[in-house]
Amino acid sequence: IKIARLTNGAFDPTVAPLVDAWGFGTEREQNLDSTNLDSLRQLIGYQNIIINKQQVQKKNPHLRINFNAIAKGFSVDLLGNYLKSQGINSYLVDIGGEVKTHGQKPGGEKWTVGIEKPASEKYDRRQVQTILEIVDMAVATSGNYRQYYEKDGTKYSHTINPKTGNPVEHNLLSATVITDLCGRADAFATAFMVMGKDKTLQFVKNNPGLNLEVMLIYADNNGNFQTASSPGFKEYIKNKKRE
């Protein structure tokens, strides 16, 4: 809820009805038109969730929650905390590309994490865009280039804009976030995929207290891949150029 408020609803766990309607929560997509899309949008809104101590209350009984945008990162944090509780102070936990590290590798080296280069098609061979070196930090990436379906020649992204009810359509291909907790990184990466490149970079600049570093991969007007990042992100890039 805190991240939903900070991002003005770009991250919103109540998006479940839209995710299902567009075919990303079920095995098949539904046929949507403006009428039933508008009806579903009435069910969306983190403001309709009330946290009362250990109880979650819904203002609208038909509201449903989807935690896919934060679940992997949160699970990474849980596993990391468990390892620490067992006296393990050097680890890398990875669930589906969401990563958290603690301590250093045997030999005193930093952990290395690869950021995938966006693919043209979902089954293309994986290639590395950037290699990061991190210690005591978490990394999460959200992207649209593998999770989508195609219908009548149009690709529909799995990232749904909670406000419009439609899959995002801008040129941002992936957002990688570095911060202290993987759950936070996961949620913000999803929010940034909704916000797009310019709004994301401005958000990170305007919120230094959130301790977020971000790298965005996007397609320019000619369809070529380009990157944009927050100033502090380059400090994590392996073999970065030094001025």
Side-chain angles (χ1 to χ4, degrees), residues 58-224:
K58 300 187 296 182
K59 292 183 181 179
N60 187 328
H62 300 291
L63 181 148
R64 291 188 292 118
I65 297 174
N66 183 309
F67 285 124
N68 282 351
I70 198 171
K72 287 191 295 184
F74 182 74
S75 300
V76 167
D77 290 331
L78 288 179
L79 287 170
N81 291 338
Y82 173 75
L83 293 176
K84 287 181 64 176
S85 74
Q86 299 302 302
I88 299 173
N89 293 310
S90 177
Y91 64 76
L92 181 148
V93 178
D94 178 353
I95 300 179
E98 320 299 21
V99 176
K100 185 176 183 180
T101 70
H102 186 67
Q104 295 181 319
K105 295 167 65 175
E109 296 179 345
K110 296 181 179 180
W111 300 97
T112 56
V113 177
I115 305 303
E116 184 179 354
K117 181 178 181 179
S120 299
E121 302 294 337
K122 66 173 67 177
Y123 298 116
D124 285 354
R125 182 173 61 87
R126 296 181 183 273
Q127 301 182 58
V128 174
Q129 171 81 29
T130 304
I131 297 177
L132 306 178
E133 292 184 316
I134 57 173
V135 175
D136 296 336
M137 297 296 281
V139 182
T141 298
S142 181
N144 287 329
Y145 48 89
R146 290 196 185 275
Q147 297 188 55
Y148 64 87
Y149 70 82
E150 191 167 354
K151 183 178 181 181
D152 298 330
T154 301
K155 291 182 178 179
Y156 294 93
S157 162
H158 81 292
T159 302
I160 307 298
N161 186 327
K163 295 183 178 180
T164 66
N166 293 304
V168 296
E169 296 181 345
H170 49 61
N171 63 346
L172 184 56
L173 300 173
S174 75
T176 297
V177 176
I178 302 176
T179 189
D180 52 348
L181 297 175
C182 200
R184 292 179 72 242
D186 201 0
F188 276 114
T190 298
F192 295 159
M193 287 303 302
V194 172
M195 293 164 66
K197 177 175 72 73
D198 294 339
K199 289 183 178 179
T200 292
L201 294 175
Q202 193 63 47
F203 178 90
V204 173
K205 181 180 180 180
N206 292 344
N207 294 277
L210 293 177
N211 190 29
L212 302 174
E213 300 296 347
V214 61
M215 183 182 79
L216 309 174
I217 303 177
Y218 64 98
D220 62 20
N221 293 334
N222 296 319
N224 298 315

Side-chain angles (χ1 to χ4, degrees), residues 37-45 48 60:
L37 185 60
D38 286 342
S39 297
L40 291 174
R41 287 173 58 195
Q42 303 307 309
L43 303 177
I44 310 304
N48 295 318
N60 187 328

